[in-house]
Amino acid sequence: MKFKEFPKGGKFGRFGGQYVPETLMPAVQELDKSYRKFKSDRNFKAELKHLLSNYAGRPTPLFFAGNLTKKCGGAKIYLKREDLLHGGAHKINNTLGQALLAKRMGKSRIIAETGAGQHGVATAMACALLGLKAEIYMGSEDVRRQNLNVFRMKLLGAEVHTVESGSKTLKDAINEAMRDWVTNLPTTYYLIGSVVGPHPYPMIVRDFQSVIGEEIKKQFRSITKGYPTAAVGCVGGGSNAMGTFYPLLDTPTKLVGVEAGGKGLGTGQHSASIGAGTEGVFHGMLTYVLQDEHGQVKETHSISAGLDYPGVGPEHSFLHVEKRVDYVSVTDDEAAKAFLELSRAEGILPALEPSHAVAHAMKMAKRMKKDESLVVTLSGRGDKDVGIIADYLGENI
Amino acid sequence: MLVGFITAGDPGPDATFDIAAALVDGGVDIIELGIPFSDPIADGPTIQASSLRALNAGVTPPMVLEMADQIARSLNVPVVILTYYNPIFKMGDERFLKLALRSGVSGIVVPDLPPEESTGYRKFAQKEGIDTIYLATPSTNPKRLSNIVSATKGFLYVVPLFGVTGARESFDAYSGRVVREIVGKVDRKVPVAVGFGISKAEHVRSFVDQGADSVIVGSAIVRTIERNLNDRKKMLNELEGLAKDLSSIRTS
């Protein structure tokens, strides 16, 4: 199957689609049209490329993690250092692209949801840079565990709305952002932070994040003339993983998405939508959803706010059923352990989200041959998470 | 005609029939029964809170259809179901629609299921004789409107504003213009019902003046329930009074 040809008619196989209120239908259709127009526009591409290199700091290094490789004693482990980008995460790749698009569409007000706060920060940055007004929705539970990012957003000139409904995390922030969008449609652009939501968002976010995988391909070719044996990324909504995987879909590279296993899939306290969910319609898309037998969406748990989401990008659901990508999960404990191991082995503090990918990559590397190679996308840096790790270790800082 | 919306099972499964009866006594012509959903993105705080109360009371889609059955048969009024799509999808389009038909449901409104995503569902529903009710809003362009008018059965649900559900004090003149324009384009092919925000008899009058055949009142009713959670008798009295007031403006 030619995986790269999707979405077709707004769908990845049966997944995706546009399950949104009528008010939003003309808006998502207009967005689809505008995006297709600007995607191939030479000025748009040049401006985005300029900002990605000179503002965000691309390309990011592909770093050979020699110490970690030695420790695992198997495949060579490479880290794609998205944590070194401006803002400290891969999110800026997407927010610059969409903010430029919003500006060209004549929108002056940007709204966004955020979980860990990284997308909120990246949105606030792009909006400050391009002279747009940013308003960010964030669940009160996430505001509490990521308060540093809340203040960063405010410093960058964004307004932060605390969401008290439901589980008070990412899914509720998206609900509230959608309600805002329905209310303020004529002036407002909804800048979604992951490969989720109604078409064309999963495609747009994937395309803007694909710079990760394109660079990996190019950088790897200059090292070995081939492709990595495997590539691993963490999956909440799944934007850094999708950006890593998409350019590699038609190569022999084995692709692995790592979901948040929380306290274990058997406990019900996790965010593994593909691993333990069923097909459902949620946030405008048909995809795997953590839900009960009556279609009520469940509350989720993860040590990392950025993975704490009961759905997943529809393209991931598609790649799962087509068996092109393997989806696994890693528990809170394993992720915290990987956080500590990478910090000590390489002097890199990873965010808790990619710590899930690092944990699984280490397991894989041990089982792989020494002449094989594995790329892990380090989607963000761990500074925002040191408080959570201190709590986890029972230390006061 | 006056359509009265309540979230089924709010504040508890045993309350719904009495609430519907009070509304019908007060002059409500059609009961719109909402299936509570965990993530009601088209709803404001009032209906969000009522959904949460119903879910906490253990209400499920099959229970709602049982309530619909009892209301339709005992009160002899048409019952329309309002639900987000996932509870239908989870049960399966055909199973849900068959169960709804057996429960005496006349029509179904699904706010997050546009005509483009519901070809199969619509075909099956219309074969079974259940009305598929679609929505039109201020952002609906003429081409979409003509497709929606062909897809909708029973009535066209017109939302006269940009926004979510929730009782309003007043409407901009803009909302009246939206309704008049849509009524003109619909050209009596299907009845037009206006809903979202309507809380007073004067709102009913103004939309009827713009050519609406019916109005739908939701949050104002749910707010009355919420205000009287601890006094069922007072709740029912106030609901009947509200319905009387709203239905004092007859549409025909």
Side-chain angles (χ1 to χ4, degrees), chain A residues 63-80:
Chain A
F63 174 69
F64 172 57
N67 298 332
L68 199 66
T69 297
K70 213 167 175 183
K71 212 172 153 192
C72 296
K76 292 188 186 69
I77 301 172
Y78 293 86
L79 303 174
K80 180 58 175 167

Side-chain angles (χ1 to χ4, degrees), chain A residues 145-260:
Chain A
R145 53 182 170 175
Q146 300 286 355
N147 57 5
L148 201 62
N149 272 342
V150 176
F151 194 57
R152 286 170 83 199
M153 287 182 252
K154 289 179 182 166
L155 290 174
L156 292 161
E159 200 177 323
V160 180
H161 301 289
T162 304
V163 178
E164 296 287 354
S165 59
S167 58
K168 305 174 174 60
T169 60
L170 181 56
K171 94 173 165 86
D172 310 285
I174 294 178
N175 290 343
E176 214 47 47
M178 284 184 136
R179 291 180 187 121
D180 179 315
W181 198 27
V182 169
T183 308
N184 300 297
L185 192 69
T187 59
T188 300
Y189 181 95
Y190 181 18
L191 204 165
I192 291 187
S194 192
V195 288
V196 300
H199 176 75
Y201 282 110
M203 170 181 78
I204 291 178
V205 179
R206 173 199 74 193
D207 289 354
F208 286 137
Q209 290 296 357
S210 287
V211 65
I212 303 172
E214 295 293 353
E215 282 180 12
I216 290 174
K217 243 165 116 173
K218 207 168 136 196
Q219 289 164 324
F220 208 83
R221 214 158 30 221
S222 74
I223 302 170
T224 68
K225 299 198 163 46
Y227 297 105
T229 315
V232 184
C234 62
V235 178
S239 69
N240 87 81
M242 208 55 243
T244 302
F245 297 163
Y246 185 70
L248 294 166
L249 285 175
D250 56 2
T251 74
T253 301
K254 180 181 164 66
L255 304 171
V256 184
V258 185
E259 295 190 301

Side-chain angles (χ1 to χ4, degrees), chain A residues 11 18 22-23 171 175 281, chain B residues 38-40 86 117 139 144:
Chain A
K11 299 207 170 170
Q18 294 178 317
E22 173 57 27
T23 307
K171 94 173 165 86
N175 290 343
V281 173
Chain B
S38 53
D39 296 86
N86 201 42
E117 297 291 1
S139 65
R144 289 190 61 76

Side-chain angles (χ1 to χ4, degrees), chain A residues 73-136:
Chain A
K76 292 188 186 69
I77 301 172
Y78 293 86
L79 303 174
K80 180 58 175 167
R81 298 290 312 274
E82 295 297 293
D83 60 316
L84 293 177
L85 285 173
H86 180 48
H90 71 295
K91 296 292 188 186
I92 194 84
N93 300 329
N94 169 48
T95 59
L96 285 173
Q98 284 200 62
L100 282 177
L101 181 62
K103 213 169 164 177
R104 277 177 165 70
M105 289 172 69
K107 306 283 183 178
S108 55
R109 177 176 178 266
I110 304 288
I111 54 168
E113 80 295 340
T114 197
Q118 292 302 111
H119 175 58
V121 167
T123 301
M125 285 170 170
C127 288
L129 177 72
L130 298 173
L132 297 161
K133 179 171 169 39
E135 294 185 35
I136 314 291

Side-chain angles (χ1 to χ4, degrees), chain A residues 303 335-337 339-340 352 385-395:
Chain A
I303 191 171
K337 198 164 157 255
F339 177 102
L340 297 172
L352 277 168
D385 293 321
V386 293
I388 294 168
I389 287 289
D391 282 349
Y392 179 82
L393 297 173
E395 284 178 26

Side-chain angles (χ1 to χ4, degrees), chain A residues 289-310:
Chain A
V289 178
L290 290 166
Q291 56 183 329
D292 72 11
E293 58 179 308
H294 298 295
Q296 306 295 347
V297 179
K298 285 187 188 167
E299 295 194 358
T300 53
H301 163 82
S302 170
I303 191 171
S304 62
L307 302 182
D308 206 348
Y309 181 63

